[in-house]
Amino acid sequence: MAKVIVVGGVAGGATAASQLRRLNQEIDITIYEKDRDISFANCGLPYHIGGEVDERRKLIAATPESFNEKDVSVFTYHEVVGVNTDKQFVTVKNMTTGEEFNDTYDYLILSPGGRARVVPGLENVEEAFALHNIEDMDRIMEYIDENKIQEAVVVGTGFIGMEMAENLRLRDIGVTVVHRNENIYGHIEADVVAVLHQEMEKHGIDLKLNAEVERYRDGYVYLTNNEKVKAPLVIQGIGLNPNTEFLKDSGIKMTGRGLIPVNEYGQTNVKNVYSLGDVMETRYLHVPEQPANIKLAWPAHRIAYVIANHIHGEYNVKFEGLLGTNIMRFFDYEVGSVGIPQETVRNYEHFVIDHQQNFKAGYMEGASKIKIKIYVAHDGTILRASVISKSGVDKRLDTLAAHIRMGGKAQDLVNVEVAYSPPFSSPKSFLNMVGYKTIEEMKKRGLM
Amino acid sequence: MAKVIVVGGVAGGATAASQLRRLNQEIDITIYEKDRDISFANCGLPYHIGGEVDERRKLIAATPESFNEKDVSVFTYHEVVGVNTDKQFVTVKNMTTGEEFNDTYDYLILSPGGRARVVPGLENVEEAFALHNIEDMDRIMEYIDENKIQEAVVVGTGFIGMEMAENLRLRDIGVTVVHRNENIYGHIEADVVAVLHQEMEKHGIDLKLNAEVERYRDGYVYLTNNEKVKAPLVIQGIGLNPNTEFLKDSGIKMTGRGLIPVNEYGQTNVKNVYSLGDVMETRYLHVPEQPANIKLAWPAHRIAYVIANHIHGEYNVKFEGLLGTNIMRFFDYEVGSVGIPQETVRNYEHFVIDHQQNFKAGYMEGASKIKIKIYVAHDGTILRASVISKSGVDKRLDTLAAHIRMGGKAQDLVNVEVAYSPPFSSPKSFLNMVGYKTIEEMKKRGLM
């Protein structure tokens, strides 16, 4: 009987294990997870702190017990510390007893995820937390309650920083956000997210730009701009480092940043070793020469299915690459993007279309602007698009993603047929207008 | 100088005229409109009655004066009563003076639209109104105010019937809806829209099923089920008849129902004669042998652009056919469909997938179900899909439409990459799950 070891039991690993069990009742499956919990909804953690997720248990999709019922063995607080790909075994450390042991595999699925980076100057500061798993969430909520926290400092403005700023405010905790430059939520263009500065102000968030943490002392964060901010609680949201050090001598290929490249089946360079989740490096679907490391739930779930199928012997299920589709709600706004990163776009000849109109019929109560910035290569390939509005951003991003995935170019957007009625859009719809503008621009440039 | 005559100045005709003027500053353009107004937002009319469109002027996109400024001649209250396609002239009746005259054309654009059907038994009833243009809207609003209307009967449950029922309730007018069978909003499957019965009840609408109007007397509607309902105001929403009688002897091909078939350029069978809007019959994009008559704004606007380009000599702008994408909001619900009609689906071998899950992450406050019924041909072609939920229906329909338009099959839905964050969807997203179910079903049936 073939034996599968899964390293890491959160989104990617747990889903791969479930999918494989669904396909194959015989195969032996073991999950090693270094932390306390498996299979929880990481994306939901900030919303339980803010109260929009009312019950903690709703965040837990599966437990070791529920996996055991499906005949999947789960070992929590067990860290895989080494892999021998020649002899096909992993070395596991039982973190409770300190004991180490080896376990052999026929197939190895690596989903070790990352760990939150510590803000320089906040090392060993008790008041500073990251939010990466349920343990973190529990600790933060307990800490807030026990210390009757009324103000907090959030360092960084990625997903976690922004979502924590919002959710702390929703608990009526005063929030100061510290960001190292002027471009908050920096994976989206500064001019697109400019309105979020006002949104922060409107919701009572104090935004410190061009500032970094210098040190923490006596309940205050001292910033490089010589300000100090009262900070009985600090949330650090400056990104993740991949947990892949244990693979150093394994022969599994990694990038300089510690990411694991995989092919269309989720396979690494080593036979019978797969990888997924935050440590996976794949390709952009529409710009296939561009590597993609997208630390989001959708890719993890999709490639979990592909890996499960491949191990089960279904070789026609492939992963065709990513579009990096992402979205965040920030108070009254929605913002997101699809396509390659801003920085990468520069490597391709392109033109930019900026467009805005109302997200629904302009004569309807509550209508307001939706804005797009779209980068079009000279053949019409949509390299990237960023969208912001109070409503309807998810719809435009999903539609763009479906269009791009099936080979649609920017000039084809004129034909995107929308479900129109005044509460939803306009008959000359948003993406259609982007298509018309693209055609105009391409004609002007002699590209069509 | 070439001369263009446009018959009908509402959505289709007015847009064609504007687009043509934008492309071509020289060409002579004249619009004949038999009614009072041109270029207004028909779809917005119910929402001004309900108050969601606060200002009447917002519904008027252009006036004869604004068209004159663009050097387009507009004659309102001028009905085209005949067309001579041999000698290329139209006969126009000035409805104010009764005078008739001929006007020659090089190109003729037919956008005469339809007129609301009168409910049998309500002929010449002063209290009975249709809602087809701004004149109707003005009359209804005046009538409501002058007569301090507190209850109304709505006959029919198409777009107008449902939207008027909602908007009259939003004005706190008591509403009884009369429908001839049990399937309200009959262009969507009865089991999909079943929940709208409760939604009507919840919002105080009295629904009379399996009932038709027999007669009107002394302020009451008498129904075929022997009930009578107090009806100081009656709204008729039982569909449109095409205004194409004037084309009877023109040589322009029409269907038995009076619709005008067009090709991918919007051309009729007669040289230099185009047609669009509610009277146009085109094809379904993904099931091209199926004729499509979609009385919606999106197709009118799109083909207006195609026709304008064709007249201007741009022959590579084509109209590739429709998907019939539609949506309606009804109080707290959104419902719509994409693809060929229910009745037509029966002509194709297919299987049906019913799927439901939460429209956003299930652990989030306010999450509730989104349901789809999708008809898949044996090669995976998505023949039709209907979707209902309290949120996110427009997103799924638009995404499906983009997917289908670019050639995507039902089994490819597993790869539709969504913008995920808990307020918007799930990582195992709605359309992905439909794709997974499709693959399972196709395997079970030996289709893949």
Side-chain angles (χ1 to χ4, degrees), chain A residues 304-315:
Chain A
Y305 177 84
V306 172
I307 291 173
N309 272 275
H310 198 261
I311 291 174
H312 185 55
E314 291 262 24
Y315 302 130

Side-chain angles (χ1 to χ4, degrees), chain B residues 158-418:
Chain B
F159 285 101
I160 289 292
M162 296 294 274
E163 290 172 357
M164 278 305 294
E166 180 184 25
N167 279 291
L168 289 169
R169 285 302 298 136
L170 294 177
R171 286 186 71 131
D172 219 21
I173 292 173
V175 172
T176 300
V177 168
V178 176
H179 189 66
R180 59 182 171 164
N181 58 34
E182 286 186 353
N183 305 339
I184 60 166
Y185 204 55
H187 86 99
I188 305 278
E189 291 75 356
D191 60 329
V192 173
V193 294
V195 67
L196 299 187
H197 292 235
Q198 287 91 66
E199 192 67 3
M200 283 192 175
E201 203 182 321
K202 184 175 147 198
H203 291 279
I205 292 172
D206 195 5
L207 177 59
K208 307 285 186 198
L209 295 174
N210 299 311
E212 293 189 62
V213 171
E214 211 165 61
R215 64 179 190 283
Y216 190 91
R217 209 173 54 198
D218 299 337
Y220 284 83
V221 162
Y222 289 75
L223 301 178
T224 48
N225 65 357
N226 294 323
E227 293 190 72
K228 65 172 192 175
V229 184
K230 194 174 171 198
L233 167 67
V234 184
I235 303 290
Q236 314 175 71
I238 61 163
L240 295 181
N241 287 323
N243 286 327
T244 49
E245 292 85 353
F246 73 105
L247 298 173
K248 210 169 35 152
D249 303 314
S250 67
I252 295 165
K253 194 184 153 192
M254 291 196 282
T255 70
R257 293 161 58 208
L259 304 174
I260 307 172
V262 299
N263 67 9
E264 70 268 40
Y265 299 111
Q267 293 175 295
T268 69
N269 66 312
V270 173
K271 199 171 141 61
N272 301 332
V273 180
Y274 300 79
S275 177
L276 78 165
D278 292 355
V279 300
M280 167 182 84
E281 186 184 83
T282 175
R283 301 271 142 189
Y284 282 96
L285 175 84
H286 62 313
V287 190
E289 66 276 20
Q290 283 300 330
N293 168 241
I294 313 280
K295 296 183 186 74
L296 294 173
W298 190 89
H301 280 91
R302 177 64 190 141
I303 202 149
Y305 177 83
V306 173
I307 291 172
N309 272 276
H310 198 262
I311 291 174
H312 185 55
E314 291 263 22
Y315 303 129
N316 55 356
V317 179
K318 289 184 197 182
F319 184 63
E320 294 155 357
L322 286 174
L323 295 170
T325 321
N326 65 82
I327 193 164
M328 177 190 65
R329 187 196 68 196
F330 189 68
F331 294 104
D332 293 343
Y333 278 88
E334 308 171 359
V335 60
S337 70
V338 56
I340 60 177
Q342 290 183 67
E343 303 75 36
T344 314
V345 155
R346 299 193 193 109
N347 305 332
Y348 298 86
E349 276 204 311
H350 70 271
F351 56 88
V352 175
I353 303 275
D354 281 294
H355 177 65
Q356 65 172 52
Q357 68 184 69
N358 288 301
F359 72 79
K360 62 179 175 179
Y363 49 73
M364 294 289 279
E365 202 173 78
S368 68
K369 295 295 174 206
I370 179 164
K371 294 184 192 186
I372 191 170
K373 182 182 280 291
I374 184 167
Y375 302 75
V376 183
H378 286 185
D379 67 348
T381 299
I382 299 167
L383 296 167
R384 170 181 174 80
S386 296
V387 185
I388 191 164
S389 178
K390 290 188 174 175
S391 183
V393 171
D394 56 338
K395 173 166 75 174
R396 275 66 178 211
L397 290 171
D398 284 9
T399 307
L400 274 174
H403 182 75
I404 298 170
R405 177 163 291 273
M406 295 306 301
K409 305 277 186 179
Q411 61 271 35
D412 303 324
L413 289 173
V414 294
N415 279 314
V416 165
E417 185 177 323
V418 301

Side-chain angles (χ1 to χ4, degrees), chain A residues 15 19 22 41 43-44 47 51-54 58-59 163 297-298 301-302 305 314 318 320-329 334 360 363-365 394-395 397-399 401-403 405-408 412 414-424 427-429 432 436 439-440 443, chain B residues 15 19 22 41 43-44 47 51-54 58-59 163 297-298 301-302 305 314 318 320-329 334 360 363-365 394-395 397-399 401-403 405-408 412 414-424 427-429 432 436 439-440 443:
Chain A
T15 306
Q19 293 287 354
R22 212 175 52 83
C43 313
Y47 299 100
E52 199 166 338
V53 177
D54 55 356
K58 291 184 182 169
L59 293 172
E163 290 171 358
W298 190 90
H301 280 89
R302 177 65 191 140
Y305 177 84
E314 291 262 24
K318 290 184 195 183
E320 294 155 357
L322 286 174
L323 295 170
T325 321
N326 65 83
I327 193 163
M328 176 190 65
R329 187 196 69 196
E334 308 172 359
K360 61 180 175 179
Y363 49 75
M364 295 288 279
E365 201 174 78
D394 56 339
K395 172 165 76 173
L397 290 172
D398 285 9
T399 307
H403 181 76
R405 177 163 291 275
M406 295 305 301
D412 304 324
V414 294
N415 279 314
V416 166
E417 185 177 322
V418 301
Y420 164 64
S421 136
F424 299 98
K428 284 170 191 162
S429 179
N432 299 147
Y436 287 121
I439 289 172
E440 237 170 71
K443 283 187 176 163
Chain B
T15 306
Q19 293 288 353
R22 214 175 50 84
C43 313
Y47 300 98
E52 199 166 337
V53 177
D54 55 356
K58 290 183 181 169
L59 293 172
E163 290 172 357
W298 190 89
H301 280 91
R302 177 64 190 141
Y305 177 83
E314 291 263 22
K318 289 184 197 182
E320 294 155 357
L322 286 174
L323 295 170
T325 321
N326 65 82
I327 193 164
M328 177 190 65
R329 187 196 68 196
E334 308 171 359
K360 62 179 175 179
Y363 49 73
M364 294 289 279
E365 202 173 78
D394 56 338
K395 173 166 75 174
L397 290 171
D398 284 9
T399 307
H403 182 75
R405 177 163 291 273
M406 295 306 301
D412 303 324
V414 294
N415 279 314
V416 165
E417 185 177 323
V418 301
Y420 164 63
S421 133
F424 299 98
K428 284 170 191 163
S429 180
N432 299 149
Y436 287 120
I439 289 173
E440 239 169 68
K443 282 186 177 163

Side-chain angles (χ1 to χ4, degrees), chain A residues 43-87:
Chain A
C43 313
L45 304 179
Y47 299 100
H48 185 47
I49 294 175
E52 199 166 338
V53 177
D54 55 356
E55 292 181 63
R56 179 183 179 281
R57 64 172 177 84
K58 291 184 182 169
L59 293 172
I60 296 163
T63 59
E65 294 71 34
S66 70
F67 265 106
N68 291 345
E69 280 166 28
K70 294 193 276 188
D71 199 23
V72 172
S73 307
V74 178
F75 297 88
T76 55
Y77 289 132
H78 277 66
E79 182 171 10
V80 173
V81 294
V83 176
N84 185 320
T85 53
D86 285 337
K87 301 192 176 149

